Amino acid sequence: MRRSFYHYLMAVKGPSHMDEEQIFATHASHDIQFPKHSEDYHEISSYLEMETDYLPSMDIFDRIWDKYLENNR
């Protein structure tokens, strides 16, 4: 069973919060409306583009999404 993107993202969060991926993961963990059970790129990216202000660049999301796909095959 594949895990959701959010579940994968929480593994990225880490304790240091020093890089932009960890910072994004931390912000997402505090976002109660984040689509936590989704595995759908378009649903999550649309949500991030339209509903959040904590992601400075969608490139960060795209990089993490690629890693998510690699780790969930």
Side-chain angles (χ1 to χ4, degrees), residues 4-54:
S4 71
F5 176 74
Y6 180 82
H7 186 263
Y8 176 78
L9 191 59
M10 292 304 99
V12 171
K13 192 166 87 166
S16 66
H17 310 293
M18 297 301 277
D19 66 38
E20 56 193 7
E21 292 180 6
Q22 289 180 345
I23 293 168
F24 165 48
T26 299
H27 285 293
S29 74
H30 297 292
D31 182 351
I32 60 172
Q33 295 182 331
F34 193 94
K36 292 178 174 67
H37 300 289
S38 182
E39 300 173 17
D40 182 74
Y41 174 87
H42 297 293
E43 177 184 8
I44 298 167
S45 66
S46 292
Y47 173 78
L48 291 169
E49 288 180 34
M50 303 300 264
E51 304 295 332
T52 67
D53 62 357
Y54 56 78

